[in-house]
Coordinates of all heavy atoms in Angstrom, one line a residue:
M2 N 31.9 4.5 14.6 CA 31.1 3.3 14.4 C 29.9 3.7 13.4 O 29.2 4.7 13.7 CB 30.5 2.6 15.7 CG 29.5 1.6 15.5 SD 28.9 0.9 17.1 CE 30.0 -0.5 17.2
P3 N 29.7 3.0 12.3 CA 28.7 3.4 11.4 C 27.3 3.2 12.0 O 27.1 2.2 12.8 CB 28.9 2.5 10.1 CG 29.9 1.5 10.5 CD 30.5 1.9 11.8
A4 N 26.4 4.0 11.5 CA 24.9 4.0 12.0 C 24.3 2.8 11.4 O 24.5 2.5 10.3 CB 24.3 5.2 11.7
Q5 N 23.4 2.0 12.2 CA 22.7 1.0 11.7 C 21.4 1.5 11.2 O 20.8 2.3 11.7 CB 22.5 0.1 13.0 CG 23.6 -0.8 13.4 CD 24.0 -1.9 12.6 OE1 23.2 -2.5 11.8 NE2 25.3 -2.2 12.5
H6 N 21.1 1.0 10.0 CA 19.8 1.4 9.3 C 18.8 0.3 9.3 O 19.3 -0.9 9.4 CB 20.0 1.9 7.8 CG 21.0 3.1 7.7 ND1 20.5 4.3 8.0 CD2 22.2 3.3 7.4 CE1 21.5 5.3 7.7 NE2 22.5 4.6 7.4
G7 N 17.6 0.6 9.4 CA 16.5 -0.4 9.4 C 16.5 -1.0 8.0 O 17.3 -0.6 7.2
P8 N 15.5 -1.8 7.9 CA 15.3 -2.5 6.6 C 15.0 -1.5 5.4 O 14.3 -0.5 5.8 CB 14.2 -3.5 6.7 CG 13.5 -3.0 7.9 CD 14.5 -2.2 8.8
R9 N 15.3 -1.8 4.2 CA 15.1 -0.9 3.0 C 13.6 -1.1 2.8 O 13.1 -2.0 2.9 CB 15.9 -1.4 1.9 CG 15.8 -0.5 0.8 CD 16.5 -0.8 -0.4 NE 16.5 0.2 -1.3 CZ 17.4 0.7 -2.1 NH1 18.6 0.2 -2.0 NH2 17.3 1.5 -3.0
R10 N 13.0 0.2 2.6 CA 11.6 0.3 2.3 C 11.2 0.2 0.9 O 12.1 0.7 0.1 CB 10.9 1.5 2.9 CG 10.9 1.6 4.5 CD 10.2 2.7 4.9 NE 10.1 2.8 6.3 CZ 9.3 3.7 6.9 NH1 8.8 4.6 6.3 NH2 9.2 3.6 8.3
A11 N 10.2 -0.3 0.4 CA 9.8 -0.3 -0.9 C 9.2 1.1 -1.2 O 8.6 1.6 -0.3 CB 8.7 -1.3 -1.3
R12 N 9.2 1.5 -2.4 CA 8.8 2.8 -2.9 C 7.2 2.6 -3.2 O 6.9 1.5 -3.6 CB 9.4 3.4 -4.0 CG 9.1 4.7 -4.5 CD 10.1 5.2 -5.5 NE 10.1 4.4 -6.7 CZ 9.4 4.6 -7.9 NH1 8.5 5.8 -7.8 NH2 9.4 4.0 -8.9
I13 N 6.5 3.5 -2.9 CA 5.0 3.4 -3.2 C 4.6 4.2 -4.5 O 5.1 5.3 -4.6 CB 4.2 4.0 -2.0 CG1 4.4 3.3 -0.8 CG2 2.6 4.0 -2.4 CD1 3.9 1.9 -0.6
A14 N 4.0 3.6 -5.4 CA 3.5 4.2 -6.6 C 1.9 3.9 -6.7 O 1.5 3.0 -6.2 CB 4.2 3.6 -7.8
F15 N 1.3 4.9 -7.5 CA -0.1 4.7 -7.6 C -0.4 4.6 -9.0 O 0.1 5.2 -10.0 CB -0.8 6.0 -7.2 CG -0.6 6.2 -5.7 CD1 0.4 7.0 -5.2 CD2 -1.4 5.7 -4.8 CE1 0.6 7.2 -3.8 CE2 -1.3 5.8 -3.4 CZ -0.2 6.6 -2.9
S16 N -1.5 3.6 -9.3 CA -2.0 3.5 -10.7 C -2.8 4.7 -10.9 O -3.1 5.6 -10.0 CB -3.0 2.2 -10.7 OG -4.1 2.5 -9.9
D17 N -3.2 5.0 -12.1 CA -3.9 6.1 -12.5 C -5.3 6.2 -11.7 O -5.7 7.3 -11.2 CB -4.3 6.3 -14.0 CG -3.1 6.5 -14.9 OD1 -2.1 7.0 -14.3 OD2 -3.0 6.2 -16.1
A18 N -6.0 5.1 -11.6 CA -7.3 5.0 -10.8 C -7.0 5.3 -9.4 O -7.8 6.2 -8.8 CB -7.8 3.6 -11.0
A19 N -6.0 4.9 -8.8 CA -5.7 5.1 -7.3 C -5.3 6.6 -7.1 O -5.7 7.1 -6.1 CB -4.6 4.1 -6.9
A20 N -4.6 7.1 -8.1 CA -4.2 8.4 -8.0 C -5.4 9.3 -8.0 O -5.5 10.4 -7.2 CB -3.2 8.8 -9.0
K21 N -6.4 9.0 -8.8 CA -7.6 9.8 -8.8 C -8.4 9.6 -7.6 O -8.9 10.6 -6.9 CB -8.5 9.3 -10.0 CG -9.6 10.1 -10.4 CD -10.3 9.9 -11.7 CE -9.5 10.5 -12.8 NZ -10.0 11.5 -13.6
Q22 N -8.4 8.4 -7.0 CA -9.1 8.2 -5.7 C -8.4 9.1 -4.6 O -9.0 9.7 -3.8 CB -9.0 6.8 -5.4 CG -10.0 5.9 -6.2 CD -9.6 4.5 -5.8 OE1 -8.7 3.9 -5.8 NE2 -10.8 3.8 -5.5
L23 N -7.1 9.2 -4.7 CA -6.2 9.9 -3.6 C -6.6 11.3 -3.7 O -6.7 12.1 -2.6 CB -4.8 9.7 -3.9 CG -3.8 10.3 -2.9 CD1 -4.0 9.8 -1.5 CD2 -2.3 10.0 -3.4
E24 N -6.8 11.9 -4.9 CA -7.2 13.4 -5.1 C -8.4 13.7 -4.4 O -8.8 14.7 -4.0 CB -7.3 13.7 -6.5 CG -5.9 13.7 -7.3 CD -6.1 14.0 -8.8 OE1 -7.3 14.2 -9.3 OE2 -5.1 13.9 -9.4
N25 N -9.4 12.7 -4.3 CA -10.7 12.9 -3.8 C -10.8 12.9 -2.3 O -11.7 13.1 -1.7 CB -11.7 12.0 -4.4 CG -12.0 12.3 -5.9 OD1 -11.8 13.4 -6.2 ND2 -12.2 11.1 -6.7
I26 N -9.6 12.4 -1.6 CA -9.6 12.4 -0.2 C -9.3 13.8 0.4 O -8.2 14.2 0.1 CB -8.6 11.2 0.3 CG1 -9.0 9.9 -0.3 CG2 -8.5 11.2 1.9 CD1 -8.0 8.8 0.1
T27 N -10.2 14.2 1.1 CA -9.9 15.6 1.7 C -9.8 15.7 3.2 O -9.3 16.7 3.7 CB -11.1 16.6 1.2 OG1 -12.3 16.1 1.7 CG2 -11.1 16.7 -0.3
S28 N -10.3 14.7 3.8 CA -10.2 14.7 5.3 C -8.8 14.4 5.8 O -8.3 13.3 5.3 CB -11.3 13.5 5.9 OG -10.9 13.2 7.1
E29 N -8.3 15.1 6.7 CA -7.0 14.9 7.3 C -7.0 13.5 7.9 O -5.9 12.8 8.0 CB -6.6 16.0 8.2 CG -6.2 17.2 7.6 CD -5.5 18.3 8.4 OE1 -4.7 17.8 9.4 OE2 -5.8 19.4 8.4
V30 N -8.1 13.1 8.6 CA -8.1 11.8 9.4 C -7.9 10.7 8.4 O -7.2 9.8 8.6 CB -9.5 11.7 10.1 CG1 -9.6 10.3 10.7 CG2 -9.6 12.7 11.3
E31 N -8.7 10.8 7.2 CA -8.6 9.7 6.2 C -7.1 9.7 5.6 O -6.5 8.7 5.3 CB -9.5 9.9 5.2 CG -11.0 9.7 5.5 CD -12.0 9.9 4.5 OE1 -11.7 10.7 3.6 OE2 -13.2 9.4 4.7
L32 N -6.6 10.9 5.3 CA -5.2 10.9 4.8 C -4.3 10.3 5.8 O -3.3 9.6 5.3 CB -4.8 12.4 4.4 CG -5.5 13.0 3.2 CD1 -5.0 14.4 3.1 CD2 -5.0 12.2 2.0
H33 N -4.3 10.6 7.1 CA -3.4 10.0 8.1 C -3.6 8.5 8.2 O -2.5 7.8 8.2 CB -3.8 10.7 9.4 CG -2.9 10.1 10.5 ND1 -1.6 10.5 10.7 CD2 -3.2 9.3 11.5 CE1 -1.0 9.8 11.8 NE2 -2.2 9.2 12.2
A34 N -4.7 8.1 8.1 CA -5.1 6.6 8.1 C -4.4 5.9 6.8 O -3.8 4.9 6.9 CB -6.6 6.3 8.1
L35 N -4.6 6.6 5.8 CA -4.0 6.0 4.5 C -2.5 6.0 4.5 O -1.8 5.1 4.1 CB -4.5 6.8 3.3 CG -3.9 6.4 1.9 CD1 -4.3 5.0 1.6 CD2 -4.3 7.3 0.9
D36 N -2.1 7.1 5.1 CA -0.5 7.3 5.2 C 0.0 6.0 6.1 O 1.1 5.4 5.8 CB -0.1 8.6 5.8 CG 1.4 8.8 5.9 OD1 2.0 8.7 4.7 OD2 2.0 9.2 6.9
R37 N -0.6 5.8 7.1 CA -0.2 4.8 8.1 C -0.2 3.4 7.5 O 0.7 2.6 7.5 CB -1.1 4.7 9.3 CG -0.7 5.8 10.3 CD -1.5 5.7 11.5 NE -1.2 4.5 12.1 CZ -1.6 4.1 13.4 NH1 -2.1 5.0 14.2 NH2 -1.2 3.0 13.8
A38 N -1.3 3.3 6.6 CA -1.4 1.8 5.8 C -0.2 1.8 4.8 O 0.4 0.7 4.6 CB -2.7 1.7 5.2
L39 N 0.1 2.9 4.2 CA 1.1 2.9 3.1 C 2.5 2.6 3.7 O 3.3 2.0 3.1 CB 1.0 4.1 2.4 CG -0.2 4.3 1.5 CD1 -0.2 5.7 0.7 CD2 -0.2 3.3 0.3
V40 N 2.8 3.1 4.9 CA 4.0 2.9 5.5 C 4.1 1.3 5.8 O 5.2 0.8 5.6 CB 4.2 3.7 6.9 CG1 5.3 3.3 7.7 CG2 4.3 5.2 6.5
V41 N 3.0 0.8 6.3 CA 3.0 -0.6 6.6 C 3.4 -1.4 5.3 O 4.3 -2.3 5.4 CB 1.7 -1.1 7.2 CG1 1.6 -2.7 7.2 CG2 1.4 -0.6 8.6
L42 N 2.9 -1.0 4.2 CA 3.1 -1.7 2.9 C 4.5 -1.5 2.5 O 5.2 -2.4 1.9 CB 2.1 -1.3 1.8 CG 0.7 -1.8 2.0 CD1 -0.2 -1.2 0.9 CD2 0.6 -3.3 2.1
S43 N 5.1 -0.3 2.8 CA 6.4 0.1 2.3 C 7.5 -0.8 3.1 O 8.5 -1.2 2.5 CB 6.7 1.4 2.3 OG 6.9 1.9 3.6
V44 N 7.2 -1.1 4.4 CA 8.1 -1.8 5.3 C 8.0 -3.3 5.0 O 9.0 -4.0 4.8 CB 7.8 -1.6 6.6 CG1 8.6 -2.5 7.6 CG2 8.1 -0.1 7.0
D45 N 6.8 -3.8 4.7 CA 6.5 -5.3 4.5 C 5.4 -5.5 3.3 O 4.3 -5.6 3.7 CB 6.0 -5.9 5.7 CG 5.9 -7.4 5.6 OD1 6.3 -8.0 4.6 OD2 5.3 -8.1 6.6
P46 N 5.9 -5.5 2.1 CA 5.0 -5.6 1.1 C 4.1 -6.9 1.1 O 3.1 -7.1 0.3 CB 5.9 -5.7 -0.3 CG 7.0 -4.9 0.1 CD 7.3 -5.2 1.7
D47 N 4.6 -7.9 1.8 CA 3.8 -9.2 1.8 C 2.9 -9.3 3.0 O 2.3 -10.3 3.1 CB 5.0 -10.3 2.0 CG 5.9 -10.5 0.8 OD1 5.4 -10.3 -0.3 OD2 7.1 -10.7 1.0
V48 N 2.6 -8.2 3.7 CA 1.7 -8.2 4.7 C 0.2 -8.4 4.3 O -0.5 -9.1 5.0 CB 1.8 -6.9 5.5 CG1 1.2 -5.7 4.8 CG2 1.1 -7.1 6.8
G49 N -0.1 -8.1 3.1 CA -1.5 -8.4 2.6 C -1.6 -9.7 2.2 O -0.8 -10.4 2.1
T50 N -3.0 -10.1 1.9 CA -3.3 -11.4 1.5 C -3.5 -11.5 -0.1 O -4.1 -10.6 -0.6 CB -4.7 -11.8 2.2 OG1 -5.6 -11.0 1.9 CG2 -4.4 -12.0 3.7
P51 N -3.1 -12.5 -0.6 CA -3.1 -12.6 -2.0 C -4.6 -12.9 -2.5 O -5.5 -13.4 -1.8 CB -2.4 -13.8 -2.5 CG -1.6 -14.2 -1.2 CD -2.3 -13.6 0.0
I52 N -4.9 -12.1 -3.6 CA -6.3 -12.2 -4.2 C -6.3 -13.2 -5.3 O -5.4 -13.2 -6.2 CB -6.7 -10.9 -4.7 CG1 -7.0 -9.9 -3.5 CG2 -8.1 -11.0 -5.4 CD1 -7.3 -8.5 -4.0
P53 N -7.1 -14.3 -5.2 CA -7.1 -15.3 -6.3 C -7.2 -14.7 -7.6 O -8.0 -13.9 -7.8 CB -8.3 -16.3 -5.9 CG -8.5 -15.9 -4.4 CD -8.1 -14.6 -4.2
G54 N -6.5 -15.2 -8.6 CA -6.6 -14.8 -9.9 C -5.8 -15.5 -10.9 O -5.3 -16.6 -10.6
T55 N -5.5 -14.9 -12.0 CA -4.7 -15.6 -13.0 C -3.2 -15.4 -12.6 O -2.8 -14.5 -11.8 CB -4.9 -15.0 -14.4 OG1 -4.5 -13.7 -14.4 CG2 -6.3 -15.2 -14.8
S56 N -2.3 -16.3 -13.1 CA -0.9 -16.1 -12.8 C -0.2 -15.4 -13.9 O 1.0 -15.5 -14.1 CB -0.3 -17.5 -12.6 OG -0.5 -18.3 -13.5
T57 N -0.8 -14.8 -14.8 CA -0.2 -14.2 -16.0 C 0.5 -12.8 -15.6 O 1.4 -12.5 -16.3 CB -1.2 -14.0 -17.3 OG1 -2.2 -13.2 -16.7 CG2 -1.8 -15.3 -17.7
G58 N 0.1 -12.1 -14.7 CA 0.6 -10.9 -14.3 C 1.1 -10.9 -12.9 O 1.0 -12.0 -12.2
P59 N 1.4 -9.8 -12.2 CA 1.8 -9.8 -10.9 C 0.6 -10.1 -10.0 O -0.6 -9.9 -10.3 CB 2.1 -8.3 -10.7 CG 1.7 -7.4 -11.9 CD 1.3 -8.5 -12.9
Q60 N 1.0 -10.7 -8.9 CA -0.1 -11.2 -7.9 C -0.7 -9.9 -7.2 O 0.0 -9.2 -6.5 CB 0.6 -12.1 -6.9 CG -0.3 -12.5 -5.7 CD -1.5 -13.5 -6.2 OE1 -1.2 -14.5 -6.7 NE2 -2.7 -13.0 -5.9
L61 N -2.0 -9.8 -7.4 CA -2.8 -8.7 -6.7 C -3.0 -9.1 -5.3 O -3.3 -10.3 -5.0 CB -4.1 -8.5 -7.5 CG -4.9 -7.3 -7.1 CD1 -4.0 -6.1 -7.3 CD2 -6.2 -7.2 -7.9
R62 N -2.7 -8.3 -4.4 CA -2.9 -8.5 -2.9 C -3.8 -7.4 -2.4 O -4.0 -6.3 -2.8 CB -1.4 -8.4 -2.1 CG -0.5 -9.4 -2.7 CD 0.9 -9.2 -2.1 NE 0.8 -9.9 -0.7 CZ 0.9 -11.0 -0.4 NH1 1.2 -12.0 -1.4 NH2 0.9 -11.4 0.9
Q63 N -4.4 -7.7 -1.1 CA -5.3 -6.9 -0.4 C -4.7 -6.7 0.9 O -4.4 -7.7 1.6 CB -6.7 -7.5 -0.3 CG -7.6 -6.6 0.6 CD -8.9 -7.4 0.4 OE1 -9.8 -6.9 -0.3 NE2 -9.2 -8.3 1.4
Y64 N -4.5 -5.3 1.4 CA -4.3 -5.2 2.8 C -5.4 -4.3 3.4 O -5.9 -3.4 2.9 CB -3.0 -4.2 2.8 CG -2.6 -3.7 4.3 CD1 -2.2 -4.7 5.3 CD2 -2.9 -2.5 4.7 CE1 -1.9 -4.2 6.5 CE2 -2.7 -1.9 5.9 CZ -2.1 -2.8 6.8 OH -2.0 -2.4 8.1
T65 N -5.8 -4.8 4.5 CA -7.0 -4.2 5.2 C -6.5 -3.9 6.7 O -6.1 -4.8 7.4 CB -8.2 -5.0 5.2 OG1 -8.6 -5.5 4.0 CG2 -9.4 -4.5 5.9
D66 N -6.7 -2.7 7.1 CA -6.5 -2.2 8.5 C -7.9 -2.0 9.0 O -8.5 -0.9 8.7 CB -5.6 -1.0 8.5 CG -5.3 -0.5 9.8 OD1 -6.0 -0.8 10.8 OD2 -4.2 0.1 9.9
D67 N -8.3 -2.9 9.9 CA -9.6 -2.7 10.5 C -9.7 -1.6 11.5 O -10.9 -1.0 11.8 CB -10.1 -4.0 11.1 CG -10.3 -5.0 10.0 OD1 -10.7 -4.8 8.9 OD2 -10.0 -6.3 10.3
I68 N -8.5 -1.3 12.1 CA -8.7 -0.1 13.1 C -8.7 1.2 12.4 O -9.5 2.1 12.8 CB -7.4 -0.2 14.0 CG1 -7.3 -1.5 14.8 CG2 -7.4 1.0 15.0 CD1 -6.1 -1.8 15.5
E69 N -8.1 1.4 11.4 CA -8.0 2.7 10.6 C -9.1 2.7 9.5 O -9.3 3.7 8.8 CB -6.7 3.0 10.0 CG -5.6 3.1 11.0 CD -5.6 4.6 11.7 OE1 -6.4 5.4 11.3 OE2 -4.8 4.7 12.7
H70 N -9.7 1.5 9.3 CA -10.8 1.4 8.3 C -10.2 1.8 6.8 O -10.7 2.6 6.2 CB -12.0 2.4 8.5 CG -12.5 1.9 9.9 ND1 -13.2 0.8 10.2 CD2 -12.6 2.8 11.0 CE1 -13.6 0.8 11.4 NE2 -13.3 1.9 12.0
V71 N -9.0 1.1 6.5 CA -8.5 1.4 5.2 C -8.4 0.0 4.5 O -8.0 -1.1 5.1 CB -7.0 1.9 5.3 CG1 -6.2 2.1 4.1 CG2 -7.2 3.3 6.2
R72 N -8.5 0.0 3.2 CA -8.4 -1.2 2.4 C -7.7 -0.9 1.1 O -8.0 0.2 0.4 CB -9.8 -1.9 1.9 CG -9.7 -3.0 1.1 CD -11.1 -3.5 0.8 NE -11.0 -4.6 -0.2 CZ -11.6 -4.6 -1.2 NH1 -12.5 -3.7 -1.5 NH2 -11.5 -5.6 -2.0
I73 N -6.6 -1.5 0.9 CA -5.8 -1.2 -0.3 C -5.5 -2.4 -1.1 O -5.2 -3.5 -0.5 CB -4.4 -0.7 0.1 CG1 -4.5 0.7 0.9 CG2 -3.5 -0.4 -1.1 CD1 -3.4 1.3 1.6
L74 N -5.7 -2.3 -2.4 CA -5.5 -3.4 -3.3 C -4.1 -3.0 -4.1 O -4.0 -1.8 -4.5 CB -6.5 -3.6 -4.4 CG -7.9 -4.0 -3.9 CD1 -8.9 -4.2 -5.0 CD2 -7.8 -5.2 -3.0
Y75 N -3.1 -3.9 -4.1 CA -1.8 -3.5 -4.7 C -1.2 -4.7 -5.2 O -1.5 -5.8 -5.0 CB -1.0 -2.9 -3.5 CG -0.6 -3.9 -2.5 CD1 0.7 -4.4 -2.5 CD2 -1.4 -4.2 -1.5 CE1 1.0 -5.4 -1.4 CE2 -1.2 -5.0 -0.4 CZ 0.1 -5.7 -0.4 OH 0.4 -6.6 0.5
F76 N -0.1 -4.5 -5.9 CA 0.8 -5.5 -6.2 C 2.2 -5.1 -6.1 O 2.6 -3.8 -6.0 CB 0.7 -6.0 -7.7 CG 0.8 -5.1 -8.8 CD1 2.1 -4.9 -9.4 CD2 -0.2 -4.3 -9.2 CE1 2.3 -3.8 -10.5 CE2 0.0 -3.2 -10.2 CZ 1.3 -3.2 -11.0
V77 N 3.2 -5.9 -6.0 CA 4.6 -5.6 -5.8 C 5.4 -6.0 -7.0 O 5.2 -7.0 -7.6 CB 5.1 -6.4 -4.6 CG1 6.6 -6.1 -4.2 CG2 4.3 -6.2 -3.4
T78 N 6.5 -5.1 -7.5 CA 7.2 -5.5 -8.5 C 8.0 -6.5 -8.3 O 8.3 -7.0 -7.1 CB 7.9 -4.3 -8.9 OG1 8.9 -3.9 -7.9 CG2 7.1 -3.1 -9.4
A79 N 8.7 -7.3 -9.4 CA 9.4 -8.3 -9.2 C 10.7 -8.2 -8.4 O 11.0 -9.2 -7.7 CB 10.0 -8.8 -10.8
L80 N 11.2 -7.1 -8.3 CA 12.4 -6.9 -7.4 C 12.1 -6.5 -6.0 O 12.9 -6.3 -5.2 CB 13.5 -5.9 -8.0 CG 14.1 -6.3 -9.3 CD1 14.9 -5.2 -9.9 CD2 15.0 -7.6 -9.2
R81 N 10.7 -6.4 -5.7 CA 10.2 -6.1 -4.5 C 10.5 -4.8 -4.0 O 10.6 -4.4 -2.8 CB 10.6 -7.2 -3.5 CG 10.5 -8.5 -4.0 CD 9.9 -9.5 -3.2 NE 8.8 -9.4 -2.3 CZ 7.6 -9.5 -2.7 NH1 7.2 -9.7 -4.1 NH2 6.5 -9.4 -1.9
T82 N 10.8 -3.9 -4.9 CA 11.3 -2.5 -4.5 C 10.2 -1.5 -4.7 O 10.4 -0.2 -4.1 CB 12.6 -2.1 -5.3 OG1 12.3 -2.0 -6.7 CG2 13.7 -2.9 -5.2
V83 N 9.2 -1.8 -5.4 CA 8.0 -0.8 -5.6 C 6.7 -1.6 -5.4 O 6.5 -2.7 -5.7 CB 8.0 -0.3 -7.0 CG1 6.9 0.6 -7.3 CG2 9.4 0.3 -7.5
V84 N 5.9 -0.8 -4.5 CA 4.5 -1.4 -4.2 C 3.7 -0.5 -5.1 O 3.7 0.7 -5.0 CB 4.1 -1.1 -2.8 CG1 2.6 -1.5 -2.5 CG2 4.9 -2.1 -2.0
V85 N 2.9 -1.1 -6.1 CA 1.9 -0.3 -6.9 C 0.5 -0.4 -6.5 O -0.1 -1.5 -6.3 CB 2.0 -0.7 -8.5 CG1 1.0 0.1 -9.2 CG2 3.4 -0.7 -8.9
V86 N 0.0 0.7 -5.9 CA -1.4 0.7 -5.4 C -2.4 0.8 -6.5 O -2.3 1.7 -7.2 CB -1.5 1.8 -4.4 CG1 -2.9 2.0 -3.9 CG2 -0.5 1.8 -3.3
A87 N -3.4 -0.1 -6.5 CA -4.3 -0.2 -7.6 C -5.7 0.4 -7.2 O -6.4 0.9 -8.1 CB -4.4 -1.6 -8.2
Y88 N -5.9 0.3 -5.8 CA -7.2 0.8 -5.4 C -7.1 1.1 -3.9 O -6.5 0.4 -3.2 CB -8.3 -0.4 -5.6 CG -9.7 -0.2 -5.1 CD1 -10.6 0.7 -5.8 CD2 -10.0 -0.8 -3.9 CE1 -11.8 0.9 -5.3 CE2 -11.3 -0.4 -3.3 CZ -12.2 0.3 -4.1 OH -13.5 0.5 -3.6
I89 N -7.9 2.2 -3.6 CA -7.9 2.6 -2.1 C -9.4 2.8 -1.7 O -10.2 3.3 -2.4 CB -7.2 4.0 -2.1 CG1 -5.8 4.1 -2.6 CG2 -7.3 4.6 -0.7 CD1 -5.3 5.4 -2.8
E90 N -9.5 2.3 -0.6 CA -10.8 2.5 0.2 C -10.5 3.1 1.6 O -9.8 2.4 2.3 CB -11.6 1.2 0.4 CG -12.9 1.1 -0.3 CD -13.5 -0.3 -0.1 OE1 -13.5 -0.8 1.1 OE2 -13.7 -0.9 -1.1
V91 N -11.1 4.3 1.9 CA -10.8 4.9 3.2 C -12.1 5.2 3.8 O -13.1 5.7 3.1 CB -9.9 6.1 3.1 CG1 -9.7 6.6 4.6 CG2 -8.7 5.6 2.6

């Protein structure tokens, strides 16, 4: 019997600004909190709330985890296979 796999996860990519923010995180606690938030986004990219703006580009969304104290601004590609992180707050 073939093994059942869970839902396909989106790949996480970082904008240049977010990658620079990521480099500045040195605390293991903060990295762990960020990792947990990124897993949530990869499983369900629609979990965040839309940020009002123009409709000319991809819809910017915000995910906030109040328990881990993480805020991520991101957008999802058209095929919903990649989540692009634009801003990180830990």
